[in-house]
Amino acid sequence: AGGGPLLPDSVLYEIFLYLDHVDVLSVGLVCQQWHAVARDEFLWKELFYRYYRISREVPRHPAAVSWYDEFQRLYDTIPCVEVQALKEHNDQVLHLSFSHSGCLFASCSKDCTVKIWSNELDIALQHSSNMRPYNWSYTQFSQFNSDDSLLLVSGVFVGPHNSSSGEIAVISMENFTLLSRVRNKPYDVFGCWLNETNLISGNLHRIGRITSCSVLWLNNAFQGIESENVNVVKRLFKIQNLNASTIRTVMVADCSRYDSPDLLLDYEEQLAASSTCPVFDLGSDSEEEETKPKQTLEPAVQELPDDGGVTAEDGLQQFFDDIMEGRVRPAMTETELETKVAELFVRNRTKPPELNLLSTDSNSKTKYLIFTTGCLTYSPHQIGIKRILPHQMTTAGPVLGEERRSDEFFDSLDHVIDIHGHIIGMGLSPDHRYLYVNSRAWPRDCVISDPMQPPPIAEEIDLHVFDLKTMKEVKRALRAHRAYTPNEECFFIFLDVSRDFVASGAEDRHGYIWDRHYNICLAKLQHDNVVNSVAFSPVEQELLLTASDDTTIKVWRSPRTVRIQQARKPRPRKLLFSWLMNQKS
């Protein structure tokens, strides 16, 4: 013990084999000699680092009392034991979401229903809403509001001439009635709650073939019963999209919770770019490259002088004159021309970003709107962050939001994170301090010449982690899960984060669980088809749900929880004895 000699690998291996076949918690009751060894901190530290292949630079979990307890935590508290399979859906199950109390959860499916389940010892179906009468093709996403009184359900809506768009429905949890419906375009904006009664939706306006404008709207959940004198909708932001990109996958982070995180991930040096840089690129090769502002891939054209005396109109006119007189070389394609004109037009038509996104007062009510976007191609490859100020969190005021001057026609983003790959999933930690992002990387030195032909994407999924307080990437990307669909068919794979774990679906017919502190994969959860979504219980991280294209929802609990539940079950002999005693009486 203490400073004793290192145990040979052969001895450790024998211990591992023993642990794989014997319950760690009951070994001490079987053998007193083992009980003495089981509390040897030096032994368990060696065991831990070698078994999980963790660098010795990684310290023990800050909440751990001993290395023995830590080994026991990772061995015994991972929700990896299948205890129930729910088969009430008759098509692919796309998404799962828990209520904040953990008492209910909702599931969305290609069968066009949203189902509400009661989370008891044996999970049971409580209600099912069919959305086909409202011309929906399927349901794709759901989210409970903060007091669990309302459920937001997002789906794909079939419009005139079989055109598809999105729609959001709000369902009351008191009697499961439909309260309101809101159009949502494109459908993979999904939508989200901003507060108890207001939700965010999107709309898309085409300006050209590859240029558009995304408008994000704040909607009141009770639109059908509000007074006609009270606004039920208000425009939040209006953002220009270049090169066929659009805003998708919106979510809201609460900045007031940053200074009391559940788990800090700061034991390594943070290698992301400087916080003074508005954009940082995960595809760069060195720290020096990352500290430079990202250079956007521009068409090979003559650059206009950056002269403060030249207005946007003058710059646009000069650009057209250069084209007519043949001074632009080489000749631009129609796509390049549209992008260049859009950039020139918006140069002095955009409201500037917030001065310092990192100076947010931790006690304020400020929130971040987070979404996927892009600037080079239609596949989402950037994360946009926009601060929502307290006065913007209500539908009161003019429908079109704040009065705009002609030079503030568009809103700019306050911060942009470039992922250098196709983003296929995002999730916040429970304390909203960290953002986890599933992505499939592009080739390192790829050049995008046509926005309608994005680069090929890797089969390996990278799970990146960003600290939203510093806007830096922390830790190395997690890996284990895989996806196989190409760019044009790529779909969202939902992930979820608990206090100590992060889980994700994958296209390789498995769900995966990692430890957030040690950055190690702990479990693979098998299905018969693609795993689309995972969800931890917010009050019990030893309970996890997985949803799959095999039409099932699987319920997973930790070995420790399974043992406890089995111990609580009455034995048949006792039941028989009680019955006999009742007969005699």
Side-chain angles (χ1 to χ4, degrees):
L6 295 178
L7 290 172
D9 287 346
S10 59
V11 176
L12 290 172
Y13 182 68
E14 291 298 324
I15 295 175
F16 295 147
L17 291 180
Y18 187 63
L19 291 177
D20 284 340
H21 294 87
V22 181
D23 183 359
V24 177
L25 300 182
S26 62
V27 168
L29 301 177
V30 178
C31 176
Q32 291 183 353
Q33 185 178 4
W34 173 259
H35 184 72
V37 175
R39 296 299 176 180
D40 187 330
E41 272 290 274
F42 183 79
L43 168 67
W44 284 104
K45 182 177 180 179
E46 288 297 310
L47 205 61
F48 192 89
Y49 279 120
R50 297 197 185 195
Y51 184 69
Y52 290 110
R53 299 178 181 178
I54 301 172
S55 168
R56 292 180 181 273
E57 296 178 356
V58 179
R60 194 173 66 196
H61 190 289
V65 177
S66 67
W67 285 105
Y68 167 78
D69 291 336
E70 221 17 24
F71 200 103
Q72 176 180 318
R73 177 179 74 87
L74 296 189
Y75 181 89
D76 214 32
T77 65
I78 310 302
C80 58
V81 181
E82 181 182 345
V83 296
Q84 196 173 355
L86 309 175
K87 301 181 179 181
E88 277 77 358
H89 283 291
N90 55 36
D91 207 334
Q92 301 170 4
V93 188
L94 302 180
H95 185 256
L96 299 164
S97 65
F98 267 100
S99 62
H100 295 81
S101 67
C103 297
L104 301 172
F105 70 87
S107 58
C108 295
S109 169
K110 281 287 185 73
D111 65 12
C112 208
T113 66
V114 55
K115 298 186 187 297
I116 315 298
W117 310 77
S118 59
N119 179 25
E120 300 172 352
L121 187 58
D122 287 323
I123 292 173
L125 180 63
Q126 187 169 341
H127 177 78
S128 180
S129 292
N130 181 12
M131 302 303 292
R132 289 201 189 279
Y134 305 102
N135 291 329
W136 284 28
S137 296
Y138 56 88
T139 60
Q140 61 176 352
F141 174 84
S142 66
Q143 185 183 46
F144 289 84
N145 69 341
S146 57
D147 63 6
D148 295 334
S149 62
L150 303 173
L151 179 67
L152 176 155
V153 182
S154 174
V156 176
F157 173 85
V158 181
H161 310 293
N162 292 322
S163 62
S164 63
S165 184
E167 191 166 82
I168 296 171
V170 178
I171 298 175
S172 168
M173 287 295 96
E174 181 179 0
N175 51 17
F176 302 112
T177 56
L178 181 64
L179 298 179
S180 60
R181 293 159 58 201
V182 176
R183 290 296 173 90
N184 190 40
K185 184 179 181 180
Y187 60 82
D188 49 3
V189 169
F190 294 121
C192 66
W193 290 104
L194 177 62
N195 48 43
E196 291 86 351
T197 58
N198 292 289
L199 59 100
I200 296 174
S201 65
N203 200 0
L204 183 67
H205 302 280
R206 294 290 178 187
I207 300 175
R209 191 175 70 89
I210 59 169
T211 309
S212 64
C213 172
S214 287
V215 181
L216 297 172
W217 293 91
L218 185 64
N219 308 269
N220 194 305
F222 301 96
Q223 295 191 19
I225 57 177
E226 287 287 346
S227 166
E228 62 181 13
N229 297 319
V230 178
N231 284 341
V232 294
V233 63
K234 184 175 75 172
R235 186 176 66 194
L236 269 180
F237 304 117
K238 187 175 184 179
I239 299 169
Q240 187 198 44
N241 304 312
L242 298 176
N243 289 320
S245 64
T246 61
I247 287 178
R248 316 178 190 188
T249 320
V250 297
M251 60 178 58
V252 172
D254 185 352
C255 308
S256 65
R257 301 161 65 178
Y258 287 175
D259 289 335
S260 55
D262 298 325
L263 177 67
L264 280 172
L265 306 178
D266 60 353
Y267 61 81
E268 294 177 332
E269 287 291 328
Q270 297 190 2
L271 301 179
S274 169
S275 60
T276 59
C277 175
V279 179
F280 57 95
D281 185 354
L282 301 183
S284 56
D285 295 325
S286 65
E287 185 174 348
E288 289 74 23
E289 288 180 4
E290 289 180 341
T291 57
K292 300 176 184 178
K294 183 179 182 298
Q295 299 298 316
T296 305
L297 297 179
E298 293 280 345
V301 298
Q302 178 182 346
E303 292 295 331
L304 295 175
D306 188 12
D307 188 346
V310 178
T311 66
E313 290 81 359
D314 293 340
L316 191 61
Q317 185 60 51
Q318 179 182 337
F319 179 66
F320 286 140
D321 291 343
D322 289 342
I323 293 176
M324 297 301 294
E325 296 177 15
R327 291 196 295 266
V328 176
R329 291 288 185 269
M332 291 191 299
T333 65
E334 182 180 342
T335 297
E336 292 170 340
L337 177 60
E338 180 180 327
T339 299
K340 192 64 180 179
V341 170
E343 288 174 343
L344 287 167
F345 177 77
V346 80
R347 178 181 294 178
N348 290 335
R349 291 285 192 276
T350 301
K351 186 178 180 180
E354 298 293 335
L355 294 178
N356 188 358
L357 197 64
L358 304 181
S359 64
T360 303
D361 183 1
S362 61
N363 296 320
S364 73
K365 296 181 179 179
T366 301
K367 297 182 180 182
Y368 289 160
L369 182 64
I370 302 171
F371 46 84
T372 63
T373 182
C375 64
L376 303 176
T377 181
Y378 69 82
S379 63
H381 55 278
Q382 292 180 322
I383 298 168
I385 300 177
K386 185 68 180 172
R387 180 183 292 179
I388 306 176
L389 300 176
H391 73 274
Q392 297 174 308
M393 299 183 191
T394 172
T395 56
V399 171
L400 296 181
E402 300 176 10
E403 185 176 344
R404 294 168 179 263
R405 304 195 307 267
S406 61
D407 60 345
E408 295 183 352
F409 187 76
F410 294 109
D411 295 290
S412 59
L413 304 186
D414 296 331
H415 196 83
V416 177
I417 301 171
D418 199 310
I419 300 297
H420 197 76
H422 192 131
I423 300 171
I424 60 171
M426 294 198 303
L428 288 166
S429 60
D431 53 24
H432 288 206
R433 173 70 179 267
Y434 298 99
L435 177 68
Y436 286 75
V437 181
N438 268 336
S439 75
R440 296 172 62 183
W442 290 338
R444 182 176 296 273
D445 299 319
C446 68
V447 176
I448 301 174
S449 57
D450 184 352
M452 304 310 294
Q453 294 182 354
I457 50 179
E459 289 187 353
E460 295 83 7
I461 301 175
D462 295 324
L463 183 49
H464 301 283
V465 191
F466 298 96
D467 186 339
L468 293 178
K469 186 173 183 179
T470 63
M471 295 297 169
K472 295 181 179 180
E473 185 178 16
V474 293
K475 296 182 176 291
R476 58 177 174 80
L478 299 172
R479 274 190 172 182
H481 48 332
R482 303 175 73 89
Y484 307 109
T485 51
N487 256 316
E488 61 273 11
E489 301 174 13
C490 205
F491 55 86
F492 220 67
I493 294 179
F494 293 94
L495 59 93
D496 197 23
V497 190
S498 71
R499 185 189 67 237
D500 295 312
F501 308 128
V502 55
S504 174
E507 291 185 42
D508 58 13
R509 302 183 179 185
H510 288 89
Y512 289 82
I513 304 175
W514 294 265
D515 183 81
R516 292 179 60 198
H517 177 75
Y518 297 109
N519 256 36
I520 53 175
C521 185
L522 298 171
K524 292 176 64 175
L525 313 174
Q526 187 166 3
H527 273 267
D528 294 330
N529 211 321
V530 172
V531 178
N532 295 305
S533 179
V534 297
F536 285 102
S537 166
V539 296
E540 181 189 3
Q541 67 174 356
E542 295 179 40
L543 169 62
L544 178 71
L545 307 174
T546 56
S548 171
D549 279 358
D550 63 16
T551 74
T552 65
I553 300 170
K554 289 191 176 183
V555 184
W556 308 83
R557 295 188 183 272
S558 68
R560 185 186 72 88
T561 303
V562 171
R563 270 198 319 277
I564 293 173
Q565 291 180 350
Q566 290 176 344
R568 290 174 178 172
K569 291 182 179 180
R571 296 181 179 179
R573 183 175 298 178
K574 290 184 177 180
L575 290 175
L576 178 61
F577 179 75
S578 300
W579 180 79
L580 290 173
M581 293 299 294
N582 290 333
Q583 293 297 315
K584 290 181 178 180
S585 61

